[in-house]
Amino acid sequence: MKLSAREKYSYGIGALGKDMICGVIFTYAMVYFTDVLKISAAFVGTLFFFAKFWDAVNDLGMGMVVDNTKTRWGKFRPCLAVGTLINAVVFACLFTDWGLSGTALYVFAAVMYILWGMTYTIMDIPYWSMLPNLTSDKSERDRVAVVPRIFASVGGSLIVGGFGLQIMDFLGKGDAQKGFSYFAYIITAVFIITIAITVTNVKSADHLRAVKEEKTSFKKLLHIISKNDQLLVAIAVILHLILRCRL
């Protein structure tokens, strides 16, 4: 099955807002926490490290959820829509000035950052899981895969990475907090709109497979992990480092 240009570019444009959101977090979150919120760099580094470990676990769980999802709207689009809305709210709240300080600020930063990662996974896993299900033609899939990568580069690398600081400086007019907040609100709107285009127009992924698929259970997931020696070693190293950081 060959995809129409409408579905192909509707799928690709979703990566624009998605990677703008991701780009702000990966490029500017450290600066925002330490220079704007004045949170300890040691705390932020530990938080980022723990969040990465939790994301690895969270990704596996979300993959299982998507694999076992079955609705009248398909298995990908409902998770994509719900995940986008929740993540957009968390992202906007993260860069909003709530007037917090001291312990409350540290707790807020930790909870919101980890929550952002979890909710981003809710929409990111189904988005990329759609790709191999869009068409049964391998050559067509390869051509389609280029489209979201282009949009992702424009959103995450060019706009956010290349001009993010200038845009925030212009929006905030010298106030870093306002610059971050206004920039986050604009990106939140772009994120919701672009994913809405994907959810509305891309339906092939939910109708391609007619055969009955084997569902992945939590027990089977644990069995797969237990058989992966390299993954077990990586988990052990990460846990050891976390315990050393706490001590």
Side-chain angles (χ1 to χ4, degrees):
M1 182 177 66
K2 190 170 184 178
L3 285 178
S4 65
R6 178 178 179 177
E7 277 199 301
K8 185 183 299 184
Y9 289 101
S10 292
Y11 175 71
I13 199 173
L16 178 68
K18 190 177 78 67
D19 272 62
M20 288 179 75
I21 286 269
C22 191
V24 171
I25 293 294
F26 291 164
T27 307
Y28 301 116
M30 174 68 83
V31 175
Y32 178 70
F33 284 151
T34 58
D35 294 4
V36 179
L37 299 183
K38 306 300 182 183
I39 295 176
S40 164
F43 176 84
V44 175
T46 303
L47 170 61
F48 284 10
F49 180 83
F50 176 78
K52 285 296 182 184
F53 169 74
W54 177 244
D55 278 346
V57 178
N58 190 41
D59 287 352
L60 291 173
M62 191 59 212
M64 187 173 64
V65 170
V66 173
D67 187 53
N68 289 278
T69 296
K70 184 177 181 181
T71 71
R72 58 182 295 186
W73 300 283
K75 66 189 304 180
F76 303 109
R77 292 185 297 152
C79 293
L80 181 57
V82 172
T84 296
L85 292 175
I86 299 175
N87 186 252
V89 172
V90 173
F91 178 78
C93 289
L94 179 60
F95 289 98
T96 297
D97 182 10
W98 300 99
L100 301 175
S101 62
T103 302
L105 179 60
Y106 277 68
V107 172
F108 170 81
V111 171
M112 295 303 290
Y113 184 79
I114 292 174
L115 190 59
W116 177 86
M118 293 177 64
T119 55
Y120 186 82
T121 297
I122 295 175
M123 59 77 50
D124 189 55
I125 294 295
Y127 179 83
W128 290 113
S129 296
M130 293 174 75
L131 182 57
N133 291 272
L134 288 173
T135 173
S136 57
D137 186 335
K138 184 181 182 300
S139 297
E140 180 71 3
R141 283 200 304 270
D142 291 340
R143 288 191 290 268
V144 174
V146 175
V147 181
R149 294 300 181 187
I150 293 174
F151 278 107
S153 296
V154 171
S157 300
L158 181 60
I159 299 176
V160 173
F163 301 100
L165 290 176
Q166 294 89 329
I167 295 173
M168 286 187 282
D169 185 60
F170 172 77
L171 293 172
K173 300 186 185 304
D175 187 324
Q177 177 63 66
K178 288 184 178 179
F180 270 101
S181 296
Y182 294 156
F183 192 42
Y185 300 156
I186 293 172
I187 291 177
T188 297
V190 174
F191 179 40
I192 293 174
I193 292 171
T194 53
I195 293 295
I197 293 173
T198 300
V199 171
T200 302
N201 295 315
V202 182
K203 301 178 181 179
S204 294
D206 290 317
H207 299 294
L208 178 61
R209 291 185 177 180
V211 298
K212 184 178 180 180
E213 297 179 335
E214 181 183 359
K215 301 300 181 182
T216 303
S217 65
F218 185 71
K219 182 178 180 180
K220 184 176 180 180
L221 181 63
L222 291 178
H223 178 72
I224 294 173
I225 294 175
S226 68
K227 296 298 182 181
N228 191 323
D229 295 339
Q230 294 180 350
L231 179 58
L232 290 174
V233 171
I235 292 174
V237 171
I238 292 173
L239 288 174
H240 176 68
L241 291 174
I242 290 175
L243 291 175
R244 288 189 61 185
C245 289
R246 288 181 175 179
L247 296 175

